[in-house]
Amino acid sequence: RPPQLQAVAMRVASWLVALAAAIKETHLRQTAQAVEAVGAFKHRLRVCNAFPYEAGLDVYRGKTDKLNGDAPLPYKGCGDFKVHLKPGDKLDFRVGTASAGKFSVTDLPNSDSLLLLTILRHDQETTESEFESHVFANLLNAQVAIIDTYKGPEGSRVYIQDVKDAKRARKEQLRYGSVVALNKGKYEVVLEEKEDHQVSKRKLVAVERESYVILRVGVNAKSGPSYSEDLVVYPQHSEELLTPTKSGASVVGACVAVLLAAVPGMLW
């Protein structure tokens, strides 16, 4: 090969090596900036245990970081945890030393948000678990996510209605897998079978900037114990939070809400 061509080839090779190094450095810098940006936002974790079992669950981030302290999260229980999550984190749900299921955090929103994670039973035949996850973000109105975790033949529906002492009675079906926005106020959440047969009823005190979850729980197991249909409404608030302050504003808790990839419609 002529000396001139060899010199050109060497210069081109050196240029390509320098270009590859620059691209790699830029990618690493952008990745670090993205991780730093996610870390700047406040992400809270809300866990609900809709897995029918007599023993409660412990929630671990990784192998040793236990989130729920000394008290296991009981069936039909929910809890809020202040934990700095990041993409790639793994949450392990355990009964004693046995793992009931693992959830991997793949992505996080670039905003303050509440992450809702519900563990439930996969089917009637086995005791395998699965997860439902949603992300709530800041909105003024109270928001409610409705999740059906029940496994069995019953086709009960969830309704929301005014309390009995309201001036006008309103009643609306809440569809599973949806999220709705509510004006602040007192409501009743009812689980009904056919012909208005009431299975369960819970109260819901809706305050501004709060997020709620309504769970239909239970299992009609093919083997092992069955657990009857029931409702879970979380969190539960005192009606005192609806009382206006002297300035005319409502006394509300600072929380966040909205279902990922869905815009809630205003119900009432």
Side-chain angles (χ1 to χ4, degrees):
R1 179 183 295 181
Q4 295 88 346
L5 293 180
Q6 289 182 348
V8 170
M10 291 179 64
R11 286 197 296 271
V12 171
S14 299
W15 180 79
L16 290 175
V17 170
L19 178 62
I23 292 174
K24 182 177 181 180
E25 181 180 355
T26 301
H27 175 72
L28 291 175
R29 184 169 59 252
Q30 291 175 341
T31 301
Q33 290 173 348
V35 171
E36 183 179 356
V38 170
F41 297 110
K42 295 179 181 179
H43 297 140
R44 293 188 300 117
L45 175 66
R46 173 170 294 169
V47 175
C48 288
N49 180 8
F51 188 85
Y53 195 69
E54 60 183 358
L57 296 173
D58 291 318
V59 185
Y60 286 81
R61 181 178 61 174
K63 294 182 178 180
T64 58
D65 187 8
K66 189 177 180 181
L67 303 183
N68 58 289
D70 296 331
L73 191 64
Y75 171 52
K76 299 192 286 188
C78 297
D80 291 350
F81 305 100
K82 293 181 179 180
V83 55
H84 180 64
L85 293 174
K86 59 184 182 297
D89 279 348
K90 289 181 171 53
L91 299 175
D92 189 7
F93 291 73
R94 305 179 193 173
V95 179
T97 58
S99 178
K102 294 181 180 180
F103 181 86
S104 296
V105 179
T106 57
D107 197 8
L108 292 169
N110 293 325
S111 61
D112 293 347
S113 54
L114 172 64
L115 314 178
L116 170 64
L117 183 60
T118 303
I119 183 171
L120 57 141
R121 187 153 161 170
H122 182 269
D123 52 56
Q124 296 174 255
E125 288 77 18
T126 70
T127 57
E128 295 294 322
S129 65
E130 62 180 358
F131 294 92
E132 290 278 355
S133 62
H134 299 293
V135 177
F136 293 83
N138 282 308
L139 283 185
L140 176 61
N141 291 101
Q143 296 160 85
V144 186
I146 303 94
I147 303 175
D148 185 12
T149 71
Y150 175 78
K151 295 295 184 292
E154 286 77 9
S156 301
R157 298 177 180 181
V158 175
Y159 296 87
I160 189 168
Q161 62 190 28
D162 291 305
V163 294
K164 291 183 178 181
D165 58 353
K167 293 183 179 179
R168 57 173 181 163
R170 297 170 295 178
K171 184 177 181 179
E172 188 80 20
Q173 182 181 349
L174 298 177
R175 299 191 180 279
Y176 298 122
S178 68
V179 64
V180 298
L182 287 175
N183 285 322
K184 64 180 181 180
K186 297 182 293 182
Y187 303 94
E188 292 177 340
V189 181
V190 182
L191 183 65
E192 292 184 356
E193 290 181 344
K194 296 179 181 179
E195 300 178 354
D196 294 332
H197 173 66
Q198 191 175 108
V199 178
S200 181
K201 182 171 68 175
R202 297 287 183 268
K203 71 174 183 178
L204 193 162
V205 177
V207 299
E208 292 177 342
R209 300 191 183 278
E210 177 63 286
S211 55
Y212 300 85
V213 59
I214 297 175
L215 300 171
R216 178 197 181 203
V217 298
V219 62
N220 187 343
K222 298 295 185 181
S223 62
S226 293
Y227 291 76
S228 59
E229 281 186 287
D230 202 357
L231 275 178
V232 173
V233 176
Y234 185 87
Q236 289 287 332
H237 288 306
S238 168
E239 295 179 11
E240 294 179 357
L241 293 178
L242 301 175
T243 304
T245 62
K246 292 182 180 180
S247 62
S250 295
V251 181
V252 298
C255 297
V256 289
V258 149
L259 184 64
L260 183 65
V263 178
M266 194 69 194
L267 185 61
W268 291 332

